[in-house]
Amino acid sequence: ITNVIAEAQGHIIEKSGKEVARDIVCVDMKGPHCENLTLIDLPGIVCSTGKGESNTLAEDIRALMQDYLNNERCVILAVHPSNVDFHNSQILAEAKKVDPKTLRTIPVLTKPDLIDEGAETNVKDLLLGNKTDKFEMGFHMVKARGQKDLNEDVSIEEGLTKEEAFFRNKEPWRNIDDKS
């Protein structure tokens, strides 16, 4: 399914003539235990462009993101890498503007394996809600497959197994009670 999605995304980008398109690729999953939920994966926020990229890329992404942030029916998964100081999080700042009570914002910390040695306690405090104003649904952390795993075609299932082992065995994460 990953290849089909990538192919559809390529088609949309090619037809739009832009690097960011407002069309979405929709994958419907149905079943007795499936919730009625739509997930939309937006591009990450960028501040500058590279060689051969559109001068409007950052502006196009920001406009697309703003459309979804302003929709009060959208839950905001504010994804932020753990190895970057949260004070520099543009998505958390933008989410707080449209959701000041944090009723629909879920901060998700990623890349815990890339945290500088010695900085784990600061990130743990952030995860536990000790470094910022309260987010109603709390902070969450995931360790997704890295580039090496993707290059080696590590399956999602194997990636999840590795993620569970990481949090079960690595300090300080193994000492956090709530691992749901």
Side-chain angles (χ1 to χ4, degrees), residues 3-162:
N3 292 338
V4 174
I5 292 171
E7 188 178 313
Q9 289 171 328
H11 178 74
I12 289 170
I13 295 300
E14 182 181 315
K15 291 296 180 189
S16 74
K18 297 189 103 183
E19 293 159 312
V20 177
R22 293 194 175 267
D23 294 323
I24 62 171
V25 176
C26 184
V27 177
D28 286 327
M29 296 178 64
K30 298 183 188 232
H33 302 291
C34 292
E35 298 292 330
N36 184 12
L37 177 70
T38 301
L39 296 175
I40 299 173
D41 184 15
L42 299 177
I45 299 170
V46 299
C47 296
S48 62
T49 57
K51 188 175 185 177
E53 293 177 328
S54 166
N55 291 335
T56 65
L57 180 62
E59 182 183 310
D60 293 344
I61 290 173
R62 192 166 308 281
L64 180 64
M65 178 189 73
Q66 207 59 51
D67 286 348
Y68 286 99
L69 288 175
N70 289 333
N71 182 342
E72 292 183 6
R73 293 186 63 218
C74 286
V75 173
I76 303 164
L77 289 179
V79 178
H80 180 76
S82 299
N83 61 332
V84 175
D85 186 346
F86 81 94
H87 292 96
N88 295 321
S89 176
Q90 185 69 38
I91 188 57
L92 285 176
E94 296 296 328
K96 281 237 176 166
K97 288 179 190 174
V98 298
D99 182 29
K101 294 181 180 177
T102 71
L103 299 175
R104 60 187 184 98
T105 301
I106 304 172
V108 179
L109 301 174
T110 63
K111 304 178 183 178
D113 52 320
L114 300 182
I115 298 170
D116 286 341
E117 191 172 327
E120 300 92 348
T121 301
N122 285 335
V123 177
K124 179 181 174 184
D125 287 343
L126 179 62
L127 178 65
L128 296 176
N130 299 330
K131 292 192 75 92
T132 66
D133 294 335
K134 181 180 179 187
F135 279 82
E136 287 299 315
M137 292 184 265
F139 274 78
H140 300 267
M141 181 179 276
V142 297
K143 183 195 168 297
R145 296 173 294 166
Q147 192 60 53
K148 182 175 185 268
D149 286 342
L150 295 172
N151 291 346
E152 295 174 358
D153 292 324
V154 171
S155 70
I156 292 173
E157 292 79 15
E158 187 178 345
L160 289 170
T161 300
K162 286 178 156 185

Side-chain angles (χ1 to χ4, degrees), residues 155-174:
S155 70
I156 292 173
E157 292 79 15
E158 187 178 345
L160 289 170
T161 300
K162 286 178 156 185
E163 178 186 44
E164 288 176 20
F166 176 85
F167 287 118
R168 187 175 51 251
N169 299 319
K170 181 87 168 146
E171 289 290 347
W173 320 119
R174 71 178 180 180

